[in-house]
Amino acid sequence: QSILIMACRFGLRRREIQHIQREDLDFGHDTLNVTTNQYYRVKTPAGNRRLPVSLLLNENEISILEALKLIAVKIEPSASARLFPIPQKLFFKLVDRVTESLQLVTSNDRFRLYDCRHSFISHMVLAALAPEKGRLNSISSAWLRCSVPSFRQLWLERTAGQFSQNNKLLHTIALVAGHTTAKTTITH
């Protein structure tokens, strides 16, 4: 479940999930930091980013990740240890199991964990561009678990530092996805 949450609700790549350090998932500051660390170098400098936890996760998902952190402490007490402190081969087996489950649920044998990242980005862009009313707004609200206007305001407050214009929404989504420009985000 944890791997799926990190991919679907944060839009993380497989290697980013594998190498997140426990201290990077900071419930006290309500952030997930994706950064270059002793285990992993992000894809590009833009890959260093901060995601707002409570804006993207519900209470159940937060509880699952909190439980994962407690288990990880028992395996490796160091605060700088990975959130998934297991050998790479075992981690990839877990990813394969998640991928197989997704393929069964979607009836698509070509589905990859990376497709969850694309879904995350698509939902975020839809939230940025959805009209105030209509079917797209309903779809977006369901994924966001709140109204689109509320999410937009909270998103900009958390990612841009203050409430700003809607034209900044795509730029902040690009930053959270680890892209240098909004154009890269939209083409993916």
Side-chain angles (χ1 to χ4, degrees):
Q1 287 177 324
S2 301
I3 292 170
L4 190 58
I5 291 167
M6 303 288 271
C8 290
R9 300 304 297 183
F10 289 127
L12 299 184
R13 299 171 178 98
R14 179 183 66 176
R15 301 286 279 179
E16 291 171 338
I17 296 168
Q18 180 187 11
H19 296 295
I20 290 288
Q21 293 177 286
R22 268 198 332 269
E23 62 192 9
D24 292 332
L25 183 56
D26 186 346
F27 294 110
H29 290 101
D30 195 33
T31 57
L32 171 65
N33 298 301
V34 181
T35 60
T36 293
N37 58 45
Q38 67 191 31
Y39 304 108
Y40 176 72
R41 178 174 301 279
V42 294
K43 190 173 170 183
T44 66
N48 292 296
R49 58 203 187 271
R50 180 176 299 165
L51 295 105
V53 172
S54 65
L55 203 54
L56 298 171
L57 302 182
N58 64 24
E59 289 180 21
N60 184 46
E61 293 161 339
I62 289 172
S63 295
I64 290 168
L65 293 181
E66 286 174 332
L68 175 64
K69 281 185 81 165
L70 292 174
I71 292 167
V73 167
K74 291 178 182 176
I75 296 170
E76 175 57 56
S78 169
S80 64
R82 290 178 301 173
L83 186 60
F84 292 91
I86 56 177
Q88 179 172 310
K89 190 173 183 176
L90 179 56
F91 179 81
F92 288 154
K93 280 187 176 193
L94 290 173
V95 168
D96 288 344
R97 295 296 306 261
V98 170
T99 302
E100 289 166 9
S101 298
L102 289 167
Q103 289 171 346
L104 284 171
V105 169
T106 62
S107 300
N108 179 353
D109 61 351
R110 293 179 25 209
F111 197 96
R112 306 165 299 151
L113 187 67
Y114 194 77
D115 295 326
C116 294
R117 174 177 167 75
H118 285 231
S119 293
F120 167 80
I121 293 169
S122 295
H123 281 290
M124 294 299 293
V125 170
L126 181 60
L129 302 176
E132 294 296 319
K133 295 180 181 178
R135 180 82 174 122
L136 291 179
N137 185 287
S138 298
I139 292 168
S140 194
S141 293
W143 188 85
L144 297 169
R145 304 175 185 132
C146 68
S147 74
V148 172
S150 295
F151 179 82
R152 287 175 180 163
Q153 180 174 350
L154 290 169
W155 179 262
L156 286 170
E157 288 172 0
R158 295 291 310 279
T159 59
Q162 63 183 12
F163 184 71
S164 55
Q165 301 299 320
N166 281 344
N167 61 1
K168 301 229 179 182
L169 277 167
L170 288 176
H171 178 69
T172 60
I173 292 166
L175 292 175
V176 168
H179 295 153
T180 307
T181 68
K183 181 179 180 182
T184 303
T185 303
I186 291 170
T187 59
H188 280 80

